[in-house]
Amino acid sequence: MIYLVALLSFICSFIFALGGVGSAIVLVPILHWLGFPLNEVKPTCLFINTLSMTGATISNIRNRKIDLRVGLPIIISSMVIAPVGAYISTKIPTRAVLIAFILFLLFSGNMMLFFRGTKKETYREDAPFLPLTGIGSFAGFCSGLLGVGGGTLISPFMVLLGYNPKKIAAITALVVPFSSFTGFLSYWVMGHINFTLLVVAGSTAYLGGYLGTYFMQKYLKPGTVKKFLGIVVLLLAVRMILKLLK
């Protein structure tokens, strides 16, 4: 089983890195289907998110691509609220969490396939505190509740607020490891960590994500791959729906 976990973590992370997307969105249901408790799978995937997005964040900081005036309200609110989502997740039925995850998959898959944003000549440069805090709180709560990064939720809301997509990508890469790490710590404190699963899935997922990112940057257009991944995510949502209906 542990070899299967290592292989699947590597493959999923490699494939999803081709589209610039974290693999937690598919690893959560896959590892749960393999028989691991959902509350052990979620902190493992949050840890994977932390590892995979930290490298992108360091690169963005070095290249001065991050606007901290915009990013900090989202980071702080997501870090504060992610543990709340993690705690609530352990107090509600597994079926309810799976239904919430299905809704997240349907939303994410449609975003990957159809969301284009808007083309503007000028983008806003201000940092409205309440809207940004609201986005961070919502993304952090979902991150802790479901064990996934909140990047898929952050991006469309920031586009709707009128921000430059390049700035959004850098801020999303900065926010996800912070909210994921606080969510991970919350599950750890509550005693829901499977260290064998964490080490095996985390290390192979990191390697797969690194190689996938390198391959994508050299040979592929991430936008094209994202469409394929959107279809995969929607099919996964359908599979989960059918499994719940049995």
Side-chain angles (χ1 to χ4, degrees), residues 37 57 73 78 111 120 138 163 218:
T57 294
S78 66
M111 287 294 103
K120 295 184 178 182
F138 181 58
Y163 287 101
K218 198 165 186 179

Side-chain angles (χ1 to χ4, degrees), residues 104-225:
F104 177 78
L105 289 177
L106 292 172
F107 177 82
S108 299
N110 279 287
M111 287 294 103
M112 292 179 196
L113 278 173
F114 304 116
F115 189 73
R116 297 289 178 271
T118 56
K119 292 183 179 180
K120 295 184 178 182
E121 294 182 1
T122 59
Y123 297 97
R124 71 186 301 170
E125 297 294 333
D126 61 333
F129 180 76
L130 287 179
L132 295 176
T133 300
I135 291 172
S137 299
F138 181 58
F141 180 80
C142 292
S143 177
L145 182 75
L146 305 175
V148 298
T152 312
L153 300 171
I154 294 170
S155 297
F157 285 123
M158 290 195 69
V159 168
L160 291 175
L161 285 179
Y163 287 101
N164 188 323
K166 291 183 179 180
K167 178 182 288 190
I168 293 170
I171 290 173
T172 300
L174 178 67
V175 172
V176 169
F178 283 99
S179 61
S180 296
F181 188 63
T182 55
F184 163 73
L185 288 179
S186 300
Y187 282 103
W188 192 351
V189 169
M190 292 184 289
H192 293 291
I193 301 293
N194 181 330
F195 284 100
T196 302
L197 179 65
L198 184 76
V199 172
V200 172
S203 57
T204 53
Y206 179 78
L207 178 61
Y210 176 83
L211 293 175
T213 301
Y214 173 79
F215 191 86
M216 175 267 289
Q217 290 174 346
K218 198 165 186 179
Y219 301 109
L220 299 174
K221 293 182 179 180
T224 302
V225 182

Side-chain angles (χ1 to χ4, degrees), residues 67-88:
D67 186 342
L68 287 179
R69 294 180 308 109
V70 177
L72 279 178
I74 303 177
I75 292 170
I76 294 171
S77 56
S78 66
M79 287 179 67
V80 171
I81 301 300
V84 177
Y87 176 77
I88 291 176

